[in-house]
Amino acid sequence: MTAAVEVPANVEAQKLARKKAEKIALENNKLHKRLCRLVGQAIGDFNMIEDGDKVMVCLSGGKDSYALLDILMTLRERAPIHFDIVAVNLDQKQPNFPPEILPAYLTELGVAFHIENQDTYSIVKRLIPEGKTTCSLCSRLRRGILYRVADELGANKIALGHHRDDILETFFLNMFFGGKLKGMPAKLQSDDGKHIVIRPMAYVKEEDTQRYAEVKGFPIIPCDLCGSQENLQRKQIKGLMREWDKKFPGRVESIFSALSNVAPSHLMDPKLFGFKDLKADGVANPMGDIAFDEEPCSTPTTFGTIALQPL
């Protein structure tokens, strides 16, 4: 009888560690492929980038803009068209902002970049009372500066790192607090009419950008303006969405799908639909009362049938 060979405990531990590492590598690769697919899909759906474009990627130092730059650089290598990328950071002179991190990172990455130095922090702190939301003024100042920089760099597209959750949060903020059905479009004309602003990560979940940032080890730089305000309405909305996602899986996806499946004739905006001129013409209309025959509590979507529970 052959005696059983005892495998040393350290060998078994090494095998388990190797399997775990292989599994993590596989998951990370799947995440990268998913991000590339979703960003590529958004670019295609909205014709965001065309041959010969120069895309200015706005890099804040946060996880989302890092992920955007990384994925766009990957897609540029695979794309059947040619487009240029230039990364731009607006150094707003916030206290404790480490000015050396982004130049060092972008130099190592080998991408063209520009650092714009403008002390908007002092302006915001001077004009906005302590404890009040700074986002609106900060955004307006940043936007004007970035439009000017895009002109100077010859960029015709301005890419922002907003993801799916940002878009949904903006939609709910406008609806709950502004009385508007208005979101954050994936593509729009800039305020000055000279550029096209694009959001290539419009289909990407925030949890994926968070995990991708951890995988890639991006050198995250916190914002002392936005990050210091704990009671922002946006944070309330974010918490509400997380609760929905936890209690009612699929609800957030269904709401996001609704943003691209709009029926103006079944809303109440006379500027969007000609209610005043609407008359019975004897022709059957598939968008008429038939909409009310659908079961409102079981909504079929591309993500399956979702039971809409009460809030």
Side-chain angles (χ1 to χ4, degrees), residues 2-263:
T2 304
V5 179
E6 185 176 344
V7 179
N10 65 327
V11 174
E12 286 296 328
Q14 289 174 5
K15 287 182 178 179
L16 289 174
R18 186 165 56 250
K19 287 183 178 179
K20 183 178 180 180
E22 289 173 352
K23 182 179 179 181
I24 292 174
L26 178 61
E27 290 299 318
N28 292 344
N29 185 52
K30 287 168 62 177
L31 174 63
H32 181 253
K33 287 183 176 179
R34 181 164 66 252
L35 291 180
C36 287
R37 174 176 56 81
L38 290 173
V39 171
Q41 182 181 343
I43 290 173
D45 285 351
F46 294 93
N47 193 29
M48 293 184 184
I49 300 177
E50 301 172 90
D51 189 46
D53 279 347
K54 186 170 186 178
V55 182
M56 185 178 94
V57 179
C58 299
L59 198 65
S60 66
K63 66 183 190 316
D64 305 321
S65 58
Y66 275 125
L68 173 61
L69 176 62
D70 186 274
I71 297 301
L72 282 182
M73 290 183 68
T74 298
L75 294 180
R76 181 180 60 174
E77 299 303 314
R78 304 174 181 176
I81 62 172
H82 171 80
F83 64 94
D84 294 317
I85 292 175
V86 56
V88 170
N89 169 253
L90 172 57
D91 183 346
Q92 298 175 271
K93 300 307 175 184
Q94 296 182 22
N96 305 316
F97 181 85
E100 72 284 351
I101 287 182
L102 281 172
Y105 173 78
L106 295 169
T107 298
E108 184 178 356
L109 201 61
V111 64
F113 70 91
H114 171 76
I115 307 296
E116 181 69 15
N117 294 284
Q118 296 287 337
D119 188 2
T120 61
Y121 179 86
S122 296
I123 298 173
V124 170
K125 298 302 286 186
R126 185 176 73 250
L127 297 179
I128 303 295
E130 193 66 32
K132 296 295 183 179
T133 302
T134 62
C135 295
S136 179
L137 176 59
C138 186
S139 295
R140 289 199 302 273
L141 293 172
R142 279 204 318 269
R143 194 157 57 238
I145 293 169
L146 290 173
Y147 290 167
R148 173 180 58 77
V149 172
D151 275 338
E152 294 172 355
L153 296 177
N156 63 318
K157 299 286 177 66
I158 300 174
L160 304 178
H162 298 118
H163 44 64
R164 185 205 68 174
D165 297 62
D166 289 324
I167 292 171
L168 280 171
E169 288 162 18
T170 300
F171 171 73
F172 285 122
L173 282 169
N174 280 316
M175 183 168 64
F176 292 162
F177 303 107
K180 298 178 181 178
L181 277 180
K182 178 183 176 183
M184 183 184 280
K187 180 181 180 182
L188 75 157
Q189 188 182 65
S190 61
D191 294 350
D192 60 8
K194 297 179 181 178
H195 311 92
I196 293 295
V197 177
I198 58 175
R199 295 182 170 96
M201 296 208 300
Y203 295 159
V204 176
K205 297 179 181 179
E206 182 175 18
E207 65 184 65
D208 280 348
T209 66
Q210 178 66 53
R211 185 167 154 240
Y212 194 66
E214 294 167 358
V215 169
K216 299 290 288 188
F218 296 139
I220 305 298
I221 303 173
C223 174
D224 287 338
L225 281 173
C226 305
S228 64
Q229 296 176 306
E230 296 301 329
N231 298 313
L232 292 178
Q233 292 169 336
R234 184 174 289 274
K235 291 189 177 182
Q236 298 175 34
I237 297 296
K238 189 184 291 289
L240 179 65
M241 286 173 50
R242 285 176 179 167
E243 185 178 354
W244 282 348
D245 206 34
K246 186 177 180 180
K247 291 185 177 180
F248 316 114
R251 173 174 291 185
V252 174
E253 282 82 359
S254 180
I255 297 170
F256 186 72
S257 295
L259 294 181
S260 57
N261 189 20
V262 180

